[in-house]
Amino acid sequence: MIKVKNLTKFYGDHKAVDDLTFSIKDGTVCGFLGPNGAGKSTTMNIMTGCLSATSGTVSISGYDIFEEPVKAKKTIGFLPEQPPLYMEETPREYLRFVAEAKKIPREEVRSEVERVMEETQIQEVGDRLIKNLSKGYKQRVGIAQTLLGNPEVIILDEPTVGLDPIQVVEIRDLIKSLGKKHTVILSSHILSEVQNMCDEILIISKGKLIAYDTAENLEKMMVPKTTIEVLTDAEEEESREVISGIDGIEGAEYEPAENGLTKIRIETTPEEEFGIRKVLSLRLAKIERTVLKMDIVKANLEEIFLELTNPEDTEKDQLSGDISWAEIAAKAREQEKDSFETDTGLETIFEADEEKEEEENRNDSSI
């Protein structure tokens, strides 16, 4: 099991992770979602021991990542957003090196390398230089190295980036199969992908945990209302008259469709939905109008994600001066330099040195 408690991370004055607390059960495939800059990669790097935390604790398979880092890391396979590959090696050579670094017994290295190559389907490029492989194959090699040693926990940061559609399907199937014998955490911006692969979904925004549940429960929690979409050959005025007076309708929108048809969107509740559909069909038939289509529209994960993360606020933050990590680091270095110069009177020293050099040059000229 993975337990994260009160995890916080500052970069200077910027709080990248804000008091995160959650736990993930063994054998779970958990999707990690959030807009750019939400703190996903920072959290993953802390969980794997690649980055320190300002405060909080992380426990992996019973080991504290900060107190017992060696034991904890032995239970983790990690693929960062940029796979840590050696471009001048072949996948086989690279995986052999990683296996030795993970201290897999020498007599098992060869069979272990072959096993993960087969799982990720990279045997055919196993003896080509990694620098000559497509991005999709490079990603597969990165996933292969996470599987070496059969770790209990696998953490994948954007695992399907750069893959073609066939490879994406293969990797999705691989991740699903991994969930049967590993605890898997993966981040992705492809919401349908997470919805299809993951047992549970964890959403963060601006470093804070804002939702953690199954996709089905998130839909129920966030979207209590139901939308009925109707396509009919009734004109708008006729549609309005038909709908007028039907109990349970909380709102309706009308818009023209192709071939003189009318599209109607009716807002109601799950309890009223069936009765409304029945009455509406009968009323349209009574005036000799046809229902060509009638659908119940459920919110998808993308709509839930947008509602939870409030993209309008995020956009305002970016416009008001949100800066990158590189800019934060550069600013911190500049402030440190300014502070150092002020504290030591460095500017005065530089001015004295310049005056001394000018005087020496004048003396040399006079000689």
Side-chain angles (χ1 to χ4, degrees):
M1 177 179 282
I2 299 171
K3 294 182 179 179
V4 175
K5 186 175 181 181
N6 303 124
L7 191 65
T8 300
K9 176 65 177 179
F10 278 92
Y11 290 98
D13 294 331
H14 179 79
K15 186 184 287 186
V17 180
D18 189 356
D19 198 32
L20 279 182
T21 297
F22 60 87
S23 60
I24 300 172
K25 296 178 182 178
D26 293 338
T28 300
V29 180
C30 180
F32 208 46
L33 292 179
N36 287 330
K40 300 188 303 298
S41 293
T42 297
T43 302
M44 285 185 161
N45 278 294
I46 294 173
M47 291 171 64
T48 55
C50 298
L51 189 66
S52 64
T54 304
S55 62
T57 61
V58 177
S59 173
I60 308 288
S61 300
Y63 300 110
D64 190 297
I65 195 67
F66 307 122
E67 300 295 330
E68 302 174 281
V70 175
K71 291 181 179 179
K73 289 178 183 179
K74 283 183 177 180
T75 69
I76 301 170
F78 178 43
L79 176 67
E81 190 172 357
Q82 298 297 327
L85 306 176
Y86 294 121
M87 298 299 171
E88 298 300 326
E89 293 184 345
T90 66
R92 200 181 305 278
E93 291 169 340
Y94 169 70
L95 292 172
R96 189 179 299 122
F97 166 76
V98 175
E100 292 173 355
K102 288 187 174 184
K103 296 184 179 181
I104 293 173
R106 185 177 296 275
E107 64 274 13
E108 298 177 14
V109 168
R110 182 173 180 179
S111 61
E112 184 68 2
V113 167
E114 293 301 322
R115 179 185 71 82
V116 299
M117 288 179 65
E118 183 178 354
E119 279 198 62
T120 53
Q121 299 181 18
I122 57 174
Q123 304 99 312
E124 64 183 73
V125 298
D127 297 310
R128 291 170 54 185
L129 291 178
I130 292 175
K131 70 178 181 180
N132 295 329
L133 300 181
S134 68
K135 185 173 182 179
Y137 271 116
K138 289 175 182 175
Q139 196 78 345
R140 291 202 204 187
V141 175
I143 293 175
Q145 63 84 21
T146 70
L147 304 179
L148 288 167
N150 199 29
E152 297 174 28
V153 177
I154 296 175
I155 300 178
L156 309 172
D157 197 356
E158 301 284 355
T160 60
V161 169
L163 304 184
D164 63 45
I166 294 176
Q167 291 172 329
V168 167
V169 172
E170 292 171 349
I171 296 301
R172 284 180 183 176
D173 291 340
L174 172 61
I175 292 172
K176 286 180 181 179
S177 68
L178 292 177
K180 297 176 182 179
K181 50 186 177 180
H182 305 272
T183 302
V184 181
I185 302 175
L186 64 95
S187 69
S188 176
H189 288 96
I190 305 173
L191 303 179
S192 60
E193 179 175 271
V194 173
Q195 195 167 16
N196 291 331
M197 283 192 295
C198 299
D199 305 314
E200 296 182 337
I201 298 169
L202 188 154
I203 304 177
I204 66 172
S205 181
K206 299 179 182 178
K208 295 183 179 181
L209 177 65
I210 55 176
Y212 184 26
D213 211 326
T214 64
E216 183 180 358
N217 286 342
L218 286 174
E219 288 177 3
K220 291 178 181 178
M221 177 181 70
M222 295 304 301
V223 191
K225 294 186 179 180
T226 296
T227 300
I228 305 172
E229 281 194 354
V230 182
L231 187 64
T232 177
D233 59 1
E235 296 180 355
E236 182 176 331
E237 284 302 318
E238 292 175 317
S239 299
R240 288 180 182 274
E241 291 178 8
V242 165
I243 287 176
S244 176
I246 297 179
D247 293 334
I249 293 180
E250 298 183 2
E253 296 178 358
Y254 308 83
E255 61 179 83
E258 294 180 356
N259 301 319
L261 303 177
T262 301
K263 184 176 181 180
I264 312 169
R265 289 177 61 89
I266 300 170
E267 299 295 332
T268 184
T269 62
E271 294 76 18
E272 301 286 350
E273 167 257 317
F274 178 77
I276 291 172
R277 287 193 293 148
K278 183 178 179 180
V279 173
L280 180 59
S281 299
L282 291 173
R283 286 193 176 188
L284 285 171
K286 191 173 182 179
I287 64 171
E288 298 184 349
R289 293 300 187 182
T290 306
V291 176
L292 299 171
K293 186 177 181 182
M294 186 178 290
D295 292 330
I296 304 301
V297 181
K298 291 184 177 181
N300 56 31
L301 187 59
E302 182 175 0
E303 292 171 328
I304 297 169
F305 177 78
L306 291 174
E307 183 173 350
L308 287 171
T309 56
N310 199 354
E312 291 182 1
D313 288 349
T314 302
E315 184 178 353
K316 288 176 184 177
D317 288 345
Q318 291 172 345
L319 293 174
S320 64
D322 230 6
I323 58 178
S324 67
W325 300 128
E327 291 171 319
I328 291 172
K331 185 177 180 181
R333 287 195 298 269
E334 188 65 31
Q335 289 174 343
E336 185 177 354
K337 178 182 175 183
D338 291 343
S339 175
F340 176 72
E341 290 179 355
T342 302
D343 292 343
T344 60
L346 208 55
E347 291 181 2
T348 305
I349 296 172
F350 287 155
E351 290 173 0
D353 286 344
E354 289 174 359
E355 291 176 1
K356 183 177 180 181
E357 186 176 350
E358 289 176 1
E359 184 177 353
E360 289 176 352
N361 290 335
R362 286 195 296 271
N363 292 337
D364 290 340
S365 299
S366 63
I367 292 172

